[in-house]
Amino acid sequence: MALNSVGRDIPETFAGKKLIPYSDPWSLQPHAERSTRAIRRITHNGSKLVGGLRDAIIASGLKDGMTISTHHSLRNGDQLLNDLVREIDALGIRDIKIASSSVHIVHAELIPFIRKGVISGFECGVNGLIGELVSKGELDCPIIVRSHGGRARALITGEVPVDVAFLAAPYCDEYGNFNGYYGPSACGSLGYAQVDAQHAHKVVAVTDNLVPFPAVPVGIPQSVVDFVCQVPRLGDPKKIVSSTTKITTDPIGLQIAKYAALVMESSGYIKDGFSFQTGTGGISLAVAENVRAIMRAGKIKGAFGCGGITGNFVDMLEEGLFEALFDVQCFDLKAVESIGRNQKHVEMTAGTYANPFNCGSVVNRLDCAILSATEIDVNFNVNVNTESTGYLLHNTGGHCDVAAGAKVSIVVCPSIRGRLPMIRDEVTTITTPGETVGVIVTERGIAVNDNLPELKAELIRRRAPVKDIRQLRDEIYAVTGVPRPIEFEDKVVGLIEYRDGSIIDVVRQVCP
Amino acid sequence: MADYKLRRSLLYVPGNMPSMLQNVPLFQCDAVQIDLEDAVPLAEKDAARILVRRFLDTYKERNKEVLVRINGLDTKWALDDLKAVLPGLPDGIRLPKADSPDVVERLDTLLTEYEEELGLEVGFFKILPSIETAMGVINAVFTARASTRLIGLAFGAEDYTATMEINRTKTGEELFNARMNVLWAAKAAGIQALDSIFADVNDMDALRTETELIKKLGFTGKSLVNPRQIDVVHEVFAPKQAEVDYALQVMDAIKRAREMGTGVISLKGKMIDRPVVVRAARVLSTARAHGMVDVVINEEDINGAE
C-alpha cells in the first residue's frame, strides 16, 4: 500500500498489474512507443463479409484470455456487446476481458456470463448494475475505470492490448468502409471507435445496414478493417439517442445554470474565439442556453464547441456562434443529422479529444467547461464514479480530461440530492483532482478555487453569492446533518485510473 | 408614509412542502409568502403549521421579507395558525379575504396580544391584506387605513374574478377597475400596492406584458407562484439608467440642501423635497438590487439627521 498525493491508499498491484500512485495532473511523462500490431496484407478485392457474429468471432481468432472491445456510441440502445458475449459463450471461449469505451445499464445482461467465467474483467468503466454487484462483492470481476482520454492513451501505448475490436458500423460496405451517420442505428460520430480501429490487433465491422461499395463519407476506412459481418440489428434506435435534451424547468436547476453562466461571463473568456464544452442533462443545457444569449447579445463568434454534441450546440453552430464543433459522440438525432452534412461539424477521435499523452488534445484548447458531480469535497475533488452508497455506478467519461484541459472548469451540482449533502468533508471516490477544478456552482452559492483569484474577485464585484467551500459545506450540513461514513472492506474491487495512467483512487467492497 | 422597501416579487411557497421550504433562502425574490391557506389541503393544515414553524426557527439568517399567509380569520384554522407561526417571528401576516377594515383591526388586536406575550415591540408584525372580493375592493380605501401595521394592499385577482363570476383573461381588461381602486386606496394611505399572481408559469411573455402594465399603473410588485417568474418581474422593475442617474443627483442635491440647513433645493429648475427624495430612494434601492449602483440608502439620507 502507498498513499497517493490525494491521500488514498493504493495497493502495489491489482489484477496482476503494477500500479503507479497518482501524484499530480501534469508531471507523469510517457516512456513508451506507440503500440504496434501486425501488418496484414489482404490481396483479394472481393468481400470481407464473413457471415454472422459467430463466424466473425471464429474468423478473428478470438481465444481464451483475450481482450475484446466495442464502442459505446449506441449507448443504452446497444445490442452488440450483449449478443457478442452470448456468441462467445456459445463457442466455449472463456476468460475474456472487456475493454469497451464504456459499458451501459443495458449491459446488465452480461452478469450471468461474468458469473460463468466468460468475462473475467473490465478494462473500462461501467454504468449500472455490474458495478453495484462488484461493489457488494456479489460479482468477482476486477474493473479498471478509465476516462475517455485515459482509455485512448491506454490503447495507443499498448497498456491495454485489444485483441479484437467489434465495431458497430451503422453504414458499412462489404470491404469495410463505414461511418455512423446513416441507417437505422445511426449514432453520428464514431470518435471512440476510431482509436480501436487504429490499434486493435483485429478489427471487425459489425453492421445492420450493408450498403453497396463505397460507403461514403468514409469514417473508418477499409484499410484497417479485417472482417465485415452482418447482424439483424445493432440496437434500439430509440435508446441510442436517449440523453436528456430538454432544458430543465426545475427552479433550482435554473438557478444553478444562471450562476454558471455568470461565472463564465465573469471569467472574461466569452469573447471572439471562445471555446466551450457542456454535457447533456437539463442543467447543462440551460447553461448552454444562457451562454447562447450572452454570445448573441455581444455578437460573439466563438472558436469551437466540443465534446459530446447536442442539437443545442448544432443550433449555435448554424447560428454562426461557433466556427466549428468537435464531436466525439452525438447525443441526439439533430447532432447525428448535422455531422452527416456539415463540414464544420467535425468528427474527432477520443485520442484527439482528450489523450494526455500526445502533442496536444482538444481539451487543452477549451476556455470553459461545464461538468457534473455525484459528490464534491472541500478540496474541490470531484466524484462522478460512486454515489454516497459507495457503489460504483458511473463511468468517468471525459470528466478528469476536460477538467485538466479547460482554463475554467465549472462543476454544477445541486447542494442536496435526496437528503444527502453533495459538498462534504470527503468524497467517497476521487475521480477528478481538485487542483484541476476551477469553480463549484450550487444553488446555494459559488465556490472558487484559490488558483483563480481574479475570477473570484470579479464574481464578488458582481455580487455573485461567492462562498468559501467550507462555508458552503456547513450551510448544507445545517440542513442535512453530517452523513455517517460508509464502511468498506479492505478488498479492492476496482481502480479509478487518472488520465495519465496513475491511480487516483480505488473502489473497495462495501460492508454488507 | 410610503416606505421604500423593495417588494417587487412576493413568492408563494406552499407551507406543506419541505423540499420547497428548504429552498426559500435561495431564491432572489424580495419576499416569500409561506402559504397555509389555499395551497394546503384540509388534511394537512396541522402538519403544515408545525412544518412552517420549524422552518422559521431554522431560517435564522433572513435574506428576504418573510410573510405567512394564514387561513381566513373566519375559518377555524386562523387562530391556530397564528399561535403556531408567530413565535417563529415572521415579518408579517398576509391576511386573506380582507373584505373590510374590521377584519384587519381584528388581526391587529391579535398581533398586539402576541407581541406582548412574546416580549416584542408592538407593531413588530406587519400585515398585508388581500383585496380579493368585490366587497374588499369597495372597502379598500378604509381597509388601507385600518392599521399602522399595513405594508401595502395586495390585490388577489383569482378570487376576485371568482366572486365576480367572470373569467380572468391574460390581457386583464376585467381587472382594471378593481386594480385602480386598490391602487388609489393604497396610494392615498401611503402604502404599497402589490399585484396579483399570474398563474401560467410557462407563459413568460404574457407575464412580462402584465407586469409592464401593472408597473405603469403604479403597483410596486407582484405575487408569484413559481421561482421561474422572479427574473421576468425583476427585469420589468429594473430602473432605466437615466432614472438612476437622476436619483443619484437628487440624493446629492438634498444632501447639499441639508448642509445648508434646508429641506428643499432646486435641481435643474425643479424643486427637490421629501416626496422626490423618497421616490429617488426607491429607484436607488431597486437599482442596487439590480447591481446598477453600490450606494446604500438609509433613513437619514431620506429624512435628514435629527
Side-chain angles (χ1 to χ4, degrees):
Chain A
M1 287 281 177
L3 217 55
N4 71 10
S5 73
V6 287
R8 301 299 169 123
D9 262 330
I10 308 298
E12 274 174 30
T13 60
F14 179 76
K17 284 189 192 181
K18 200 166 168 353
L19 306 181
I20 307 167
Y22 168 82
S23 94
D24 70 273
W26 318 112
S27 63
L28 189 64
Q29 288 296 324
H31 298 286
E33 304 284 314
R34 281 173 83 86
S35 74
T36 56
R37 66 178 177 191
I39 291 175
R40 291 88 85 190
R41 185 173 185 194
I42 292 180
T43 50
H44 73 79
N45 57 7
S47 168
K48 292 181 189 170
L49 274 172
V50 288
L53 214 42
R54 188 174 301 192
D55 308 301
I57 296 167
I58 295 166
S60 73
L62 188 74
K63 292 188 183 63
D64 290 1
M66 282 185 167
T67 301
I68 61 164
S69 74
T70 58
H71 68 74
H72 76 279
S73 298
L74 304 179
R75 280 175 290 274
N76 232 12
D78 181 62
Q79 196 179 316
L80 175 58
L81 183 57
N82 290 341
D83 289 349
L84 191 60
V85 171
R86 207 173 298 119
E87 293 297 339
I88 289 171
D89 174 42
L91 288 167
I93 303 171
R94 295 292 178 269
D95 187 21
I96 292 295
K97 312 263 184 319
I98 303 225
S100 295
S101 54
S102 185
V103 168
H104 278 253
I105 291 168
V106 64
H107 301 123
E109 282 188 35
L110 300 181
I111 289 167
F113 301 101
I114 299 173
R115 294 214 158 99
K116 207 170 167 184
V118 181
I119 299 168
S120 59
F122 286 90
E123 289 280 356
C124 63
V126 294
N127 293 297
L129 192 59
I130 295 173
E132 182 177 333
L133 294 180
V134 169
S135 304
K136 287 177 174 165
E138 290 175 25
L139 269 185
D140 193 12
C141 183
I143 297 173
I144 303 177
V145 179
R146 293 190 167 88
S147 70
H148 288 330
R151 174 180 186 270
R153 183 212 78 245
L155 263 65
I156 292 167
T157 61
E159 285 165 68
V160 175
V162 173
D163 294 296
V164 189
F166 294 88
L167 301 178
Y171 186 84
C172 182
D173 69 38
E174 60 170 17
Y175 213 53
N177 299 294
F178 67 96
N179 67 48
Y181 308 153
Y182 320 112
S185 302
C187 59
S189 173
L190 293 175
Y192 301 105
Q194 295 278 4
V195 180
D196 305 56
Q198 295 299 329
H199 297 278
H201 297 163
K202 285 278 162 58
V203 176
V204 180
V206 185
T207 189
D208 58 358
N209 183 32
L210 194 70
V211 298
F213 182 93
V216 289
V218 176
I220 288 175
Q222 60 190 47
S223 54
V224 297
V225 175
D226 295 273
F227 307 105
V228 178
C229 86
Q230 271 184 291
V231 292
R233 66 185 209 148
L234 286 169
D236 178 353
K238 280 195 225 90
K239 293 180 184 159
I240 292 173
V241 283
S242 62
S243 309
T244 306
T245 52
K246 282 222 172 77
I247 292 173
T248 183
T249 54
D250 167 37
I252 294 295
L254 287 170
Q255 179 136 325
I256 294 171
K258 196 165 100 179
Y259 287 160
L262 180 63
V263 169
M264 288 167 68
E265 207 177 5
S266 306
S267 75
Y269 286 115
I270 307 189
K271 58 186 179 197
D272 285 350
F274 172 61
S275 57
F276 176 47
Q277 170 158 350
T278 186
T280 59
I283 297 179
S284 300
L285 291 173
V287 179
E289 201 56 30
N290 292 341
V291 168
R292 188 178 184 179
I294 296 168
M295 292 178 79
R296 264 187 201 151
K299 298 194 169 45
I300 286 155
K301 169 92 179 185
F304 68 92
C306 172
I309 296 297
T310 59
N312 193 285
F313 254 139
V314 170
D315 289 341
M316 289 173 85
L317 175 70
E318 290 178 358
E319 208 181 314
L321 297 176
F322 286 114
E323 171 63 20
L325 298 181
F326 290 121
D327 187 341
V328 71
Q329 65 177 323
C330 296
F331 280 131
D332 58 26
L333 279 176
K334 195 164 190 175
V336 173
E337 189 266 331
S338 161
I339 198 171
R341 67 171 160 76
N342 189 344
Q343 294 211 345
K344 298 275 187 185
H345 184 160
V346 183
E347 183 164 326
M348 158 178 77
T349 77
T352 306
Y353 169 45
N355 177 8
F357 287 180
N358 61 22
C359 298
S361 51
V362 172
V363 292
N364 296 359
R365 297 288 297 185
L366 276 171
D367 291 328
C368 297
I370 302 296
L371 298 166
S372 62
T374 60
E375 293 172 336
I376 300 156
D377 75 16
V378 289
N379 297 313
F380 288 77
N381 295 313
V382 177
N383 176 13
V384 299
N385 298 122
T386 55
E387 292 192 359
S388 306
T389 51
Y391 303 146
L392 176 62
L393 292 173
H394 309 281
N395 209 342
T396 298
H399 201 282
C400 59
D401 303 312
V402 172
K407 296 187 185 74
V408 183
S409 50
I410 302 163
V411 174
V412 295
C413 185
S415 63
I416 299 169
R417 283 196 185 101
R419 293 175 297 131
L420 295 168
M422 293 295 116
I423 298 182
R424 343 160 21 119
D425 292 321
E426 268 202 1
V427 286
T428 310
T429 304
I430 299 178
T431 310
T432 295
E435 58 196 292
T436 62
V437 173
V439 185
I440 308 291
V441 178
T442 74
E443 77 282 13
R444 270 167 216 278
I446 302 168
V448 185
N449 201 329
D450 286 343
N451 57 26
L452 295 170
E454 284 164 17
L455 175 57
K456 186 171 180 178
E458 178 60 20
L459 282 164
I460 292 170
R461 200 189 68 74
R462 294 183 184 222
R463 285 210 214 98
V466 175
K467 291 175 183 167
D468 184 88
I469 193 157
R470 289 181 171 77
Q471 181 193 348
L472 213 45
R473 170 205 59 192
D474 292 342
E475 282 181 27
I476 300 165
Y477 276 179
V479 178
T480 62
V482 182
R484 202 171 33 179
I486 309 158
E487 287 180 31
F488 291 99
E489 313 269 2
D490 288 337
K491 187 183 175 191
V492 174
V493 295
L495 294 182
I496 308 297
E497 196 186 88
Y498 191 55
R499 61 198 298 249
D500 62 7
S502 64
I503 304 305
I504 193 160
D505 210 341
V506 298
V507 181
R508 291 196 157 78
Q509 192 172 314
V510 178
C511 292
Chain B
M1 184 195 83
D3 68 12
Y4 57 90
K5 192 167 174 57
L6 271 188
R7 293 192 185 93
R8 298 164 296 176
S9 47
L10 297 87
L11 177 68
Y12 275 118
V13 178
N16 59 334
M17 306 281 275
S19 58
M20 291 185 177
L21 284 170
Q22 80 172 10
N23 292 329
V24 161
L26 308 179
F27 296 119
Q28 282 124 17
C29 47
D30 295 326
V32 282
Q33 310 182 102
I34 301 174
D35 193 12
L36 296 173
E37 195 208 14
D38 290 350
V40 179
L42 299 188
E44 289 181 36
K45 293 286 185 196
D46 292 340
R49 220 177 267 138
I50 296 165
L51 184 63
V52 170
R53 167 66 182 280
R54 289 279 177 277
F55 170 70
L56 291 173
D57 286 346
T58 55
Y59 182 23
K60 291 200 178 72
E61 287 176 32
R62 305 273 171 94
N63 54 359
K64 51 183 65 68
E65 200 166 30
V66 179
L67 306 178
V68 176
R69 178 161 81 170
I70 57 169
N71 289 283
L73 282 185
D74 56 347
T75 67
K76 62 176 178 184
W77 302 292
L79 296 180
D80 287 338
D81 289 348
L82 289 172
K83 190 175 169 187
V85 301
L86 289 177
L89 306 184
D91 295 298
I93 296 297
R94 173 139 185 183
L95 175 66
K97 296 193 200 70
D99 288 351
S100 67
D102 6 318
V103 187
V104 174
E105 283 160 17
R106 216 180 129 213
L107 178 61
D108 188 313
T109 312
L110 289 166
L111 293 178
T112 306
E113 285 168 21
Y114 277 104
E115 283 159 350
E116 282 164 1
E117 194 181 314
L118 295 167
L120 299 166
E121 191 188 335
V122 172
F124 178 92
F125 296 118
K126 306 295 176 203
I127 300 176
L128 179 60
S130 298
I131 309 300
E132 52 190 355
T133 63
M135 185 61 87
V137 170
I138 290 167
N139 285 330
V141 68
F142 308 108
T143 305
R145 293 168 182 278
S147 163
T148 53
R149 297 175 187 270
L150 262 56
I151 54 174
L153 290 185
F155 178 52
E158 298 296 324
D159 281 310
Y160 169 77
T161 46
T163 65
M164 291 290 289
E165 298 174 358
I166 54 175
N167 291 322
R168 186 171 176 191
T169 68
K170 278 193 180 165
T171 43
E173 293 88 346
E174 72 285 357
L175 302 177
F176 261 120
N177 280 350
R179 275 182 170 147
M180 289 316 299
N181 216 44
V182 170
L183 273 163
W184 282 326
K187 300 287 166 170
I191 55 178
Q192 294 190 25
L194 301 160
D195 192 47
S196 179
I197 60 144
F198 182 81
D200 186 347
V201 296
N202 290 318
D203 194 344
M204 293 299 165
D205 291 337
L207 170 67
R208 186 180 296 274
T209 308
E210 179 169 283
T211 310
E212 281 166 353
L213 170 76
I214 60 107
K215 183 196 174 202
K216 221 182 285 176
L217 294 177
F219 286 98
T220 49
K222 195 167 174 53
S223 290
L224 307 177
V225 289
N226 190 296
R228 280 154 59 203
Q229 297 178 318
I230 297 170
D231 280 352
V232 172
V233 169
H234 285 193
E235 276 162 37
V236 173
F237 276 100
K240 306 261 184 305
Q241 191 59 48
E243 292 176 80
V244 176
D245 294 343
Y246 179 70
L248 285 168
Q249 288 170 17
V250 168
M251 297 313 290
D252 192 48
I254 199 72
K255 199 174 154 207
R256 276 186 284 121
R258 291 192 183 122
E259 280 162 14
M260 292 186 290
T262 169
V264 185
I265 193 169
S266 165
L267 174 66
K268 291 176 186 167
K270 283 184 190 156
M271 191 187 74
I272 305 298
D273 59 2
R274 194 172 178 285
V276 181
V277 175
V278 169
R279 198 180 308 143
R282 182 174 299 144
V283 168
L284 290 177
S285 61
T286 314
R288 184 180 152 76
H290 285 275
M292 297 169 78
V293 294
D294 287 327
V295 293
V296 181
I297 305 296
N298 53 42
E299 285 296 324
E300 197 178 306
D301 296 318
I302 298 166
N303 300 317
E306 281 184 24

